[in-house]
Amino acid sequence: TPEEQNLRHLVINLGDDVWLKSKEANVKLGGSLNLTRARDDRDAARAFDRDLLTDSTTTAPKYRLALSGSLSADRGTYLLDLGVVKREFQVTSGRISFFGTPDFNPAIDVAAQYRVKQSNRADILVQARIVGNFFPQPALQLTSNDASISSSDLVSYLATGRSSAELTDPRQAS
C-alpha cells in the first residue's frame, strides 16, 4: 500500500496493561518495538522463479511490515500441561525479541517457577525456561534449585509431588 511504502520508522511504546495471552501463557509485556519495512526475500525468490518460466525480467522485491526490538516479560503465569495434571508456573523474567524480518517469528526466552510442596523436607523449586522461536514452537527446559534432581524426576515431582523412585518403592517415601 502507499502508506507502507512511505513508512520509514515508527516506535510503538506498550502501555501499562499489555498482556500476551494464549492457552498456556498470561504474561504482562513491557517496552517498545520499532515498526519498519523489511524486504521479503521469500517473495523475491518466488518472483524470480516465475520470471524464469515466463521470460519476464521484472523481479521487484516485495516489502512487508516488520518489527524489531525486544519486549520484557514482567510477570504472569505459564500453564504446563502434563496430561494428567496442569501446573501453573509464575513468570519471573523474560524477553521476546523481534529481528526486523517480515516473518513475525520472534525469539522468546522466558523464565518461570513452580514450588513443589514437600512435607518431610525442603520444598523443591522447579524452574521452567521457555526458549526459542515462536514458530514452530519454543523448547521447554526444566531445572531445579537442587541440581541432584534429574529431569525425569522433575516431571515426576510436578505430576505427583514425589520422585519416580518413591513411586516405585513406597519405602523411599519416608
Side-chain angles (χ1 to χ4, degrees):
T1 67
E3 293 81 15
E4 288 176 344
Q5 291 174 353
N6 292 327
L7 177 69
R8 297 287 179 243
H9 183 84
L10 178 68
V11 176
I12 302 169
N13 291 310
L14 297 188
D16 291 334
D17 199 25
V18 177
W19 292 77
L20 168 68
K21 294 187 179 206
S22 71
K23 66 179 186 173
E24 298 93 10
N26 187 20
V27 180
K28 183 188 179 306
L29 300 176
S32 63
L33 292 172
N34 299 307
L35 179 65
T36 60
R37 289 185 336 129
R39 181 179 171 152
D40 191 341
D41 292 326
R42 298 168 303 175
D43 278 350
R46 286 191 292 268
F48 180 73
D49 290 342
R50 283 191 306 273
D51 291 343
L52 287 177
L53 295 173
T54 62
D55 212 17
S56 172
T57 58
T58 59
T59 58
K62 289 214 173 186
Y63 288 83
R64 306 243 187 244
L65 293 179
L67 295 172
S68 64
S70 293
L71 298 175
S72 61
D74 299 332
R75 68 178 190 276
T77 58
Y78 171 73
L79 188 64
L80 179 60
D81 188 345
L82 298 169
V84 295
V85 68
K86 295 177 182 180
R87 296 293 183 229
E88 187 174 88
F89 283 68
Q90 297 302 309
V91 172
T92 56
S93 65
R95 189 148 292 318
I96 300 171
S97 301
F98 293 83
F99 304 104
T101 57
D103 60 5
F104 288 100
N105 191 17
I108 182 171
D109 187 352
V110 174
Q113 60 188 20
Y114 179 83
R115 185 172 303 277
V116 179
K117 300 286 186 191
Q118 300 290 289
S119 60
N120 56 352
R121 60 181 160 212
D123 292 348
I124 298 168
L125 188 63
V126 179
Q127 291 105 11
R129 185 168 172 223
I130 303 98
V131 63
N133 287 86
F134 271 142
F135 182 80
Q137 182 175 327
L140 173 66
Q141 302 167 347
L142 295 176
T143 58
S144 173
N145 59 334
D146 183 343
S148 68
I149 301 175
S150 69
S151 294
S152 60
D153 268 346
L154 287 177
V155 173
S156 180
Y157 277 114
L158 287 169
T160 67
R162 299 167 54 189
S163 71
S164 55
E166 291 172 326
L167 294 173
T168 57
D169 184 1
R171 292 174 291 168
Q172 292 192 24
S174 55

